[in-house]
Amino acid sequence: MSFAVVNSLGCLGIDAYGVKVEADTDDSFPGFDVVGLPDASVRESRDRVRAAVHNCGFEFPQSRVTINLAPADIRKEGPLYDLPIFIAVLLASHQLDTVPEGSFFIGELSLGGEVRPVKGVLAMALKARELGCQSLYIPRANAAEASVVSEITVYAVENVGEIISHITGRTVLSPISSDDFPESPSDAPALDFSDVRGQEAAKRALEVAAAGGHNVLLIGPPGSGKSMLARRLPSILPDMTFEEAIEATKIHSVAGVLPPNVQLIRTRPFRSPHHSASSVALAGGGRMPSPGEVSLAHNGVLFLDELPEFDNQTLEILRQPLEDHQITISRSSGRITYPCDFQMIAAMNPCRCGYFGHPTRQCTCRKGAVEKYLGKISGPLLDRMDIHVEVPPVEYKELSRATPSESSQSIRERVNKTRLIQQRRFEGTGISCNARITPALLHEFCPMTEEASRVLQMAFDRLKLSGRAYDRIVKVARTVADMDAAEVIDARHVMEAIHYRTLDREYWRN
C-alpha cells in the first residue's frame, strides 16, 4: 500500500485554484477510481492514463488505485488532470522516487504519452506563482501564454518522457522565456479610416466614442458605410495596458479561442456575432459556464450589425452587462462571474427595406411596419447607447475624391492624448474612462459653466430625457471637453453631446 500527492491546478471561470492530486494503491481487487467531483472528461482520464503508462514503458499497478482530486467540493472538468494523475500513479507504485518540491503539473495525455494543450493555462500559471510554485510543467502548445508569468520556472514539454528524464536527472529541460515568443506582427489592425470617404460627422462621433469609451448606435440606409465605420473603430482605440491585456488573454484562454503561439492579446478584441446568435452564445453558459461574446469582447468592442434582427430576448440580456460590466451565469453546477467591460457598437437600418427617411429613395414598408421594426429596440436598451449617429448616404463627389481621408494613426494619437487626461483625473479611483464615471462622482469630475447647465436643462425638459440619458450626456460632454483640453464643460461641449442623443426622438418619436 502506497500514497502520493502531486500538485496541480484548476479553473473556475477565469480564476484558478490549487488542486491536490492524491493517489492511493492497496492490495484489494484491482480497479481504478477517480473521486473529487470529476466530470465525464476527468473520469475518462483513467483510460488515457492507463494506456499512457503502458505505452511509455511503465507498469500499471495490479491493485486498486484511487485518485482523489482535492478540494472535493469543486467540480473538476477537462482533461488537464491527465498528467498529474500519471505522475501520481508512478509515485504511488514506486516507479518514480520523487518529484522536486514545489512542482505543479497540468496537461492532457494521448494514449502514447504526448502532452496535449489545455484551456486556461495563463490563469493557472498566475495562480501557481501565487501558491509558491517553483516548477510548472505544461504542454508545449501552451508555452506562449505561460511565458508572460515571471518569477516561476516553466517547462514546456512534448511528452511525459521529457518530464521523467528531467526529474530523474538523465536530461535537463530548458525553462521557457518570454523572449522565445516575439510579438506577432499580425497584431496590428489591418483596417484604416483613410479608406472611408465622407461621413465626417460619423467619424467625429466614433472618435468621441473611442476617446471616452462610449457605446454607439449607427443608423442609416444600406450601403452608407455603417459596418465599414464600425469595423475600423479598433484601429483608433487607445493602447491596451498590460493589466488589460492579461485580463483579455485569460478570458480567451479559458474559452479555448486563444490563437497558437500568442503570448498576450495586445490589440483590443473585436467581436461581431451573427444576428442568429443565441442568448447563451452572447452571454455565456453551458453546463460548466464558459465565456460568451460579451466576455470575449472584454476591454474591446462588441459589434452588433443589423441590431433589430437579433432575438428580443437576446438583446435584453445585454442591459445588465452594459451597466455592471460583468455577467454572472448561474447553473446547477455553480455560479461563475465573468468580466465584460466592452464598448458596444450597434448598426441598423431605419426600417426593414432600409429607406425610411432616405432623401432620394422611397420606403416600401407597409403602414405600421416601420414602427414595428424600430420597436424591436427597447427604450431601456436604447437609453444605454451614449451616442446615436445618423449615417446618411454618401454623395458621389465624396466617393470619387482622390485624396485619402485622415488616417487611423492620426486619429488614434488624439484619442491617446484624451485618454491620458482621463487617466490622470481618475488615478486611484478604479475608473478607466469617462464612460465609467459613477453617478456619485459625476458632479465632482464634470463641472459645468452656468450656460452649459442652462442648455442641458432646456434639452432635458424639451426632449423628456431619462435620468440615465442625463448621465450619459454629461459623460459624453466631459469627453468632448477633454478633447478640447478644457477643465470645465462649456455650452458647446454640451450641445455636441445633446446632438448625439436626438435620433431616438426622430425615429422613435411615437
Side-chain angles (χ1 to χ4, degrees), residues 117-131:
V118 294
K119 301 177 183 178
V121 166
L122 176 57
M124 289 186 282
L126 291 167
K127 185 64 177 180
R129 181 178 63 183
E130 181 183 328
L131 294 174

Side-chain angles (χ1 to χ4, degrees), residues 191 206 215-219 225-234 237 269-275 277 282 293-294 296-298 300-307 310 315 318 322 342-349 385 391:
L191 303 176
L206 288 178
N215 302 322
V216 182
L217 173 64
L218 303 170
I219 182 169
K226 302 184 296 297
S227 299
M228 187 179 189
L229 286 163
R231 293 184 184 282
R232 280 156 178 76
L233 179 64
L237 289 176
F270 183 86
R271 305 294 299 185
S272 179
H274 190 261
H275 59 74
L282 206 61
E293 293 291 340
V294 296
L296 292 171
H298 181 59
V301 175
L302 178 67
F303 175 45
L304 302 183
D305 203 2
E306 305 295 345
L307 187 64
F310 283 81
L315 289 181
L318 293 171
L322 284 170
F342 59 89
Q343 272 185 268
M344 179 172 162
I345 309 298
M348 62 178 290
N349 297 331
M385 307 302 290
V391 186

Side-chain angles (χ1 to χ4, degrees), residues 4 6 23 25 32 49 53 59-61 65 67 84-96:
V6 172
T25 62
F32 191 6
V49 170
V53 168
E59 293 184 5
F60 196 84
V65 178
I67 301 293
I85 290 175
F86 178 94
I87 300 295
V89 167
L90 294 187
L91 288 171
S93 60
H94 304 293
Q95 298 179 77
L96 185 63

Side-chain angles (χ1 to χ4, degrees), residues 389-408:
V389 185
E390 186 170 18
V391 186
V394 186
E395 296 182 358
Y396 174 79
K397 64 179 181 180
E398 294 289 349
L399 290 173
S400 59
R401 189 178 62 188
T403 56
S405 302
E406 187 178 20
S407 69
S408 292

Side-chain angles (χ1 to χ4, degrees), residues 39 256 260 455 464:
D39 72 349
V455 170
K464 297 180 175 60

Side-chain angles (χ1 to χ4, degrees), residues 24-34 46 50 60-67 89:
D24 177 79
T25 62
D26 59 43
D27 296 330
S28 60
F29 192 79
F32 191 6
D33 294 317
V34 178
R46 297 174 298 181
R50 187 191 295 271
F60 196 84
Q62 297 300 310
S63 59
R64 184 173 187 83
V65 178
T66 303
I67 301 293
V89 167

